Amino acid sequence: MNIPKSSYPRIVIIGGGFAGIALAKKLSKQEVQVVLLDKHNYHTFQPLLYQVSTGGLEPDSIAYPIRKILKDFPNFFFRLTNVNEINTEKSNILTDIGDLKFDYLVVASGSETNFFGNSEIEKHSMAMKTIPQSLNLRSLILENFEEALLTSDLNERIALMNFVIVGGGPTGVELAGALAEIKKGILPKDYPDLDTRLAQINIIQSSDCILKGMSENASKKAEDFLEKLGVHIWKNVRVTNYDGKTVTTNTDLTFDSATVVWAAGVKGVTIKGLDAEEFVTRGNRLLVNEFNQIKGFSNIFAVGDIACLVSEEFPNGFPMMAQPAIQQGEQLGENLLNLIEEKPMKPFVYKDKGAMATIGRNKAVVDLKKFKFQGVFAWYVWMFVHLFFLIGFRNRMVVFVNWVYNYVRFDREARLIIRPFKKKIKA
Amino acid sequence: MNIPKSSYPRIVIIGGGFAGIALAKKLSKQEVQVVLLDKHNYHTFQPLLYQVSTGGLEPDSIAYPIRKILKDFPNFFFRLTNVNEINTEKSNILTDIGDLKFDYLVVASGSETNFFGNSEIEKHSMAMKTIPQSLNLRSLILENFEEALLTSDLNERIALMNFVIVGGGPTGVELAGALAEIKKGILPKDYPDLDTRLAQINIIQSSDCILKGMSENASKKAEDFLEKLGVHIWKNVRVTNYDGKTVTTNTDLTFDSATVVWAAGVKGVTIKGLDAEEFVTRGNRLLVNEFNQIKGFSNIFAVGDIACLVSEEFPNGFPMMAQPAIQQGEQLGENLLNLIEEKPMKPFVYKDKGAMATIGRNKAVVDLKKFKFQGVFAWYVWMFVHLFFLIGFRNRMVVFVNWVYNYVRFDREARLIIRPFKKKIKA
């Protein structure tokens, strides 16, 4: 890969997510050469993907060009590529566009949807971890409504309007809330000849509560909010298969559905050559020490979702969310500079800023460290925090305009089938 | 197709472009049943497609859900489908989703890129008539910059950064202006390791002036603006072929280019069964009389780009632009109601509101009927008119925010490769 040689040590970061970008920013204007590799040329603000899927936001406003984030940093290089393999002995990375030597390597490759090895579910259900996936889901939802209009078979129409969301974490809950609002606000206007009552939204949760990582109050209130919106929550039910028509479970329950969203888990994206059994742990994450060093290496690190840093409070690693990723990225930036200057590194300490989820209009649940609240105020807090953390002034403006519009008009205008999903897989 | 039977006469409109939507709006709240068929579920504001291709606007803000435009109209039905054939004898339309009888039929199928039968050019060059096409072009431009970084072959790098726009009409001119601004404002910041001077923008025009349909002043000034922006205009040159690598012309000129945009002409989209030689004329358009009736029919009409209405002032039909389409759609709406009530129809009279084109920041040319002007004021007029005609308050707001941002920051943030174009055609 044609990265110019430099007298500065070269730090290669794989992945431009929350962790990778936070780290790169920390390294700016320092005496290091930074090479960031990503298969997309943009950073994705994943917490708002569900709004892209449900027509509330345009994809462009929750993405941000990576080159632009880092444009003022000298010694910074971005390359758009897949990473295929890492040769740790030779400190060499193999990519689609050539090899690259590193002095320090940071794996920030993030996570992907975990289908737990069920290839039939993987083939037929929708994931929502990237912008193209979210756009596919948007197309599918709209295509299914169009198709529901055409069929004279009532069972088929019911299946086309029956949404099954597997997993009651923040993603599943927020998506369910948005779909419930579409059912209430948009369906009757856009499809006056469809019986809106047929549209059903189901969350299937394997354990006995939704929003498992949050407080009991948040979980109960979220359930309450969802039920008021008409969402069915099926607890202690585990999905066993989905053949493209019927969702089967470990109980007698089955669901005929044309739209199944798999939000039941994620797993780390490991890279060949850096996938030894000794450090690949639960959920395909890489076990790291308190300095985010991967076991057995002094110059290879992992941060964000892919990293599993075990602590007393979090024996399975930190939750796979934005906050731990950003904090690890920032801390590692400092530690790398310390390491290069032969100063001691500081152990990572996670500052838990809490968690939140929104369940549609005026409804959210927020768990801060000392203060937990639900309802309208929580909803404002949710919006403010998301606007604040979104990268880019233009994105914030456009998202703000959309949110105000959607709120005032009870609408979501980005309901466009720009790239049909069904046709594509048929043709 | 399961459209309910009605005691009202059924008017079927094929196409939800400017003409089709204007017509449907006129027929709202009247004693007719309207069925609109389109292969997209959204209306496209085509005049701004070039801004999507160049990262200035998100696609969602120049599209608008058709169902939403017509949501308050009773007796209105939209169906998402391809139209395959028209049986004029049986007054029947054959589509992907079943047959449909009509009492009145309006063909508003618009136009598509005209490659004049050259399949090699069609295969290798980019069109820009639809949102997916514009997004493909956006991806290709950005992918080529990324690739230019990687190659050590100077000729390849030059070709990757060499843009050839075939056709100096409004589309070609506006695209060239936008690319010139990317070269000046974005390329040096995003790709500090690329030699910006290699980026060349060429317009190839077969006749002796650009913006041929506009005044001589507008044409000359546009040329002037473009040359100041560094765009090369090659007049009296006709492209003979493009094999994916080299553009050949009827002169000695050749261009090695990885990005060729074909904006050299459009042709009507005719439909099987309604393509008899007696009324298909120049540019694949359907010859209509002053009431927009297709020759030989009393209940089949054509409006917009697909219609060729010959008048003294326009012996080849009206220009294929938004204004004639909107006016014809509106007039036909009145005429259809007259026809149904057995009143006389009014002949269509075109009110020429002029033409305009923008050539980047602070530069536009405007030809009104009595007043022609160029420069900054023209640019404001251009923006105001485009915002005004854009459908939807949210779209206007989002486009406005983007324009202000882009203007103040010399930027275009939607430079995202969301669906790679090259990879797709390779894999």
Side-chain angles (χ1 to χ4, degrees), chain A residues 146-161:
Chain A
E146 294 293 333
E147 223 176 298
L149 268 179
L150 304 178
T151 180
S152 50
D153 178 341
L154 182 62
N155 287 330
E156 198 187 335
R157 191 178 310 135
I158 290 172
L160 286 163
M161 297 174 72

Side-chain angles (χ1 to χ4, degrees), chain A residues 163-175:
Chain A
F163 298 93
V164 174
I165 298 164
V166 189
T171 306
V173 164
E174 296 190 329
L175 179 64

